[in-house]
Amino acid sequence: MRIARFTTGDDPRFGAVGEDEDGQTVLAVLEGDPLYKPVQLTGEKLALEDVRLLAPVIPRSKVIGVGRNYVEHASELGNDVPEEPLLFLKPNTSVIGPDDPIVLPKHSDEVHHEAELAVIIGRIAKDLPAERVTEVVLGYTCSNDVTARDLQRKDNQWARAKGFDSSCPLGPWIETDLDPGDLAVRCLVNGEQRQDGRTSQMVFDVAALVSYISHAFTLLPGDVILTGTPAGVGPIEVGDHVVVSIENIGVLANQVVADE
């Protein structure tokens, strides 16, 4: 199932993404938030073109990033691959949705795109063994771990570099029925392909990451894990159109704008 979070001008709602008898993409509206209650349809259906998609989840607690989880990406920035997952946090104020603008921070002169598979946690998890990870994962979505590279090099920790407002685009929806083991992860900027990797190239796979993170701190429903980016990261500038696509999930597009 694909679960979207959307608005028609009122409060955000959730819907199951599908097609009607004419092949048109529609949202079957759900009762409440699927993170906290079983999926139940209201009977209302809306055409996708008549709604505005929002970030599929706004984490109540945290976004956890994983650094240098692809060998070639670590190498392209002159870094070694860590022996254990390298973790950092992004605040929920960094999250934006499809077609929302990426606002370049005034305190950086070098901001990069980073296409990533994102894991959405659906149940409380603490000290979880890898073989039980599927029990706590609600689904997966596309993400862009937008990074102020100059600040990342300058600071001893990455809060400013990776936590600024609009630095965590998510979307277009959550895919709940997916094997994350070998998916194409791509990024295009103004139609030019910059990144083209596969999740099978991860140093630490999804199960290993979720288990490891759950031993570091409790995972709560709605938490998001960014699983690392393949090689090909590069700068984005005002006016750029950035598109992240992940096989069997969809496409996440955002325009880059200046902080006025």
Side-chain angles (χ1 to χ4, degrees):
M1 177 182 292
R2 288 178 170 175
I3 300 174
R5 182 170 168 267
F6 71 93
T7 183
T8 54
D10 49 11
D11 291 337
R13 293 188 285 171
F14 294 85
V17 183
E19 292 186 353
D20 62 14
E21 57 275 7
D22 298 322
Q24 183 183 33
T25 302
V26 297
L27 297 179
V29 180
L30 304 180
E31 289 190 0
D33 186 336
L35 275 170
Y36 298 101
K37 63 183 302 182
V39 171
Q40 186 171 349
L41 301 176
T42 65
E44 180 183 5
K45 292 185 178 180
L46 299 169
L48 181 62
E49 62 185 20
D50 293 334
V51 309
R52 175 176 166 242
L53 290 179
L54 305 172
V57 62
I58 296 294
R60 277 69 165 177
S61 173
K62 52 193 171 292
V63 178
I64 306 103
V66 179
R68 303 168 189 167
N69 197 31
Y70 287 74
V71 173
E72 291 185 1
H73 169 60
S75 298
E76 72 180 346
L77 297 181
N79 298 308
D80 295 329
V81 175
E83 295 183 3
E84 296 181 336
L86 175 61
L87 306 183
F88 58 90
L89 298 175
K90 295 168 82 87
N92 60 10
T93 49
S94 67
V95 173
I96 58 173
D99 299 319
D100 288 338
I102 296 171
V103 182
L104 298 182
K106 293 179 180 178
H107 52 279
S108 173
D109 296 317
E110 184 185 357
V111 176
H112 285 196
H113 58 81
E114 293 192 5
E116 309 198 8
L117 174 72
V119 183
I120 312 300
I121 300 299
R123 293 173 54 189
I124 295 176
K126 177 63 177 171
D127 296 336
L128 193 71
E131 59 270 19
R132 293 187 56 196
V133 161
T134 56
E135 299 175 17
V136 305
V137 172
L138 175 65
Y140 304 87
T141 194
C142 305
S143 65
N144 189 350
D145 177 23
V146 184
T147 301
R149 196 70 70 198
D150 50 353
L151 300 183
Q152 186 183 27
R153 289 191 297 264
K154 178 180 178 181
D155 293 351
N156 289 327
Q157 47 74 39
W158 298 350
R160 286 201 306 160
K162 289 179 173 287
F164 59 88
D165 291 357
S166 78
S167 66
C168 189
L170 297 174
W173 40 61
I174 298 170
E175 174 59 73
T176 64
D177 184 16
L178 185 71
D179 180 351
D182 187 27
L183 304 172
V185 179
R186 299 185 175 95
C187 180
L188 282 74
V189 179
N190 302 327
E192 174 191 355
Q193 185 163 285
R194 297 271 191 90
Q195 294 181 268
D196 184 11
R198 302 196 69 85
T199 56
S200 55
Q201 298 168 330
M202 288 182 186
V203 178
F204 305 101
D205 65 14
V206 167
L209 290 176
V210 176
S211 175
Y212 181 87
I213 293 167
S214 78
H215 283 78
F217 31 68
T218 301
L219 291 168
L220 300 179
D223 282 354
V224 178
I225 298 173
L226 311 183
T227 58
T229 194
V233 300
I236 52 176
E237 301 177 350
V238 172
D240 284 348
H241 188 246
V242 184
V243 177
V244 173
S245 65
I246 298 181
E247 185 178 6
N248 297 331
I249 297 179
V251 172
L252 169 66
N254 300 92
Q255 196 79 19
V256 181
V257 303
D259 185 358
E260 301 295 343

